[in-house]
Amino acid sequence: VDADFEKVCKTAKALGTDVIRVWASDKDAEDFTEQEYIELVKALKDCAIIAKNYGQIIAFEYHYVTFCNKAEDILRLIKDCGMDNVYTYWQPAYWVNDYWQKGFSEEQRIEYNLSEIAKLKDKNIGILITDHNVHETLAITDRAYLLYDGSILESGTPEQLANNPEVRKRYLGQNFELRKAVLRKREEDE
């Protein structure tokens, strides 16, 4: 791992990036033995140490068929690595074919993604979401930045954005309605 990952860090540095995205294995967390998990943590910690020497961070990809397929698993892995340069990228589970094979509806998939984000948020982990599903994104965020034509059009709470005439005109549309039912449900669950 060390020699190969050293090359990755050197390449990243040459490309001018300080973030290295990592797939944490090629199987789901529930398929790991305890010994395999210990070895995974050691290997990832070794990578994080090498990256730190280059001023880089490790960001685990949040994907199906990796150890980081659920919020609680990725949080455990980050904690057990014990390095201050280890983070995650949230990538909603659009790729999970099991959803469709199990008959999950689009609404169930979205609810699952929102619940996974809420778990991370409950742990006081800041989350940056980039998404085109404005209804769902504004339902879960505390603050949003709307990009339009390559620039920040406006930022604020979901309510501020939904009530902003310029945002409605250029981005949301005049008939946009903030899905308060999702927001209320979240508040009730807390």
Side-chain angles (χ1 to χ4, degrees), residues 111 114-115 117-118 121-122 136-142 158 180-190:
E111 183 58 36
L114 292 176
S115 71
I117 292 169
K121 189 176 173 184
D122 289 346
E136 292 79 14
T137 304
L138 289 179
I140 192 76
T141 57
D142 296 320
K180 296 202 180 247
V182 176
L183 293 171
R184 278 196 300 274
K185 183 180 183 316
R186 244 185 60 222
E187 290 168 1
E188 289 168 6
D189 291 344
E190 292 173 357

Side-chain angles (χ1 to χ4, degrees), residues 61-78:
E61 296 272 359
Y62 192 104
H63 272 285
Y64 182 64
V65 192
T66 73
F67 187 87
C68 302
N69 63 335
K70 294 185 189 123
E72 54 271 12
D73 296 324
I74 200 165
L75 292 173
R76 176 183 174 210
L77 185 58
I78 289 170

Side-chain angles (χ1 to χ4, degrees), residues 6 10 21 31 80-81 90 93 105 133 140 142 151 182 190:
E6 183 93 26
K10 286 180 180 179
R21 295 171 74 158
D31 296 331
D80 290 348
C81 280
W90 166 259
S105 68
N133 296 317
I140 192 76
D142 296 320
S151 299
V182 176
E190 292 173 357

Side-chain angles (χ1 to χ4, degrees), residues 7 11 14 17 27 43 52 87 96 99-100 117 123 125 130 132 136 145 150-151 160 165 172 177 182 185:
K7 290 177 189 174
T11 301
T17 185
K27 65 182 182 178
K52 191 167 187 156
Y87 299 92
V96 181
Y99 281 156
W100 318 124
I117 292 169
K123 300 281 186 182
I125 293 175
T130 58
H132 295 278
E136 292 79 14
Y145 295 83
S151 299
Q160 289 170 328
L172 300 175
E177 291 183 30
V182 176
K185 183 180 183 316

Side-chain angles (χ1 to χ4, degrees), residues 32-189:
F32 271 71
T33 66
E34 189 58 32
Q35 184 57 41
E36 288 173 323
Y37 177 70
I38 291 167
E39 291 169 11
L40 176 66
V41 169
K42 182 186 179 326
L44 293 172
K45 186 173 184 174
D46 289 347
C47 290
I49 290 168
I50 294 167
K52 191 167 187 156
N53 291 335
Y54 284 87
Q56 298 163 334
I57 65 170
I58 301 293
F60 297 136
E61 296 272 359
Y62 192 104
H63 272 285
Y64 182 64
V65 192
T66 73
F67 187 87
C68 302
N69 63 335
K70 294 185 189 123
E72 54 271 12
D73 296 324
I74 200 165
L75 292 173
R76 176 183 174 210
L77 185 58
I78 289 170
K79 180 182 176 202
D80 290 348
C81 280
M83 298 293 294
D84 63 359
N85 66 326
V86 174
Y87 299 92
T88 185
Y89 274 97
W90 166 259
Q91 293 178 289
Y94 298 116
W95 66 90
V96 181
N97 290 331
D98 282 358
Y99 281 156
W100 318 124
Q101 291 169 1
K102 293 178 183 175
F104 280 32
S105 68
E106 178 73 4
E107 186 175 286
Q108 288 170 315
R109 181 192 59 76
I110 289 167
E111 183 58 36
Y112 172 81
N113 287 335
L114 292 176
S115 71
E116 289 294 288
I117 292 169
K119 288 176 190 175
L120 295 170
K121 189 176 173 184
D122 289 346
K123 300 281 186 182
N124 290 322
I125 293 175
I127 304 163
L128 175 65
I129 302 171
T130 58
D131 201 299
H132 295 278
N133 296 317
V134 69
H135 284 282
E136 292 79 14
T137 304
L138 289 179
I140 192 76
T141 57
D142 296 320
R143 182 166 188 78
Y145 295 83
L146 293 180
L147 301 178
Y148 182 82
D149 200 24
S151 299
I152 295 174
L153 171 64
E154 193 63 61
S155 65
T157 67
E159 292 81 6
Q160 289 170 328
L161 296 175
N163 293 321
N164 182 308
E166 188 66 16
V167 169
R168 289 174 97 54
K169 177 182 170 188
R170 292 185 180 221
Y171 190 81
L172 300 175
Q174 297 303 323
N175 297 324
F176 178 82
E177 291 183 30
L178 188 59
R179 293 188 177 167
K180 296 202 180 247
V182 176
L183 293 171
R184 278 196 300 274
K185 183 180 183 316
R186 244 185 60 222
E187 290 168 1
E188 289 168 6
D189 291 344

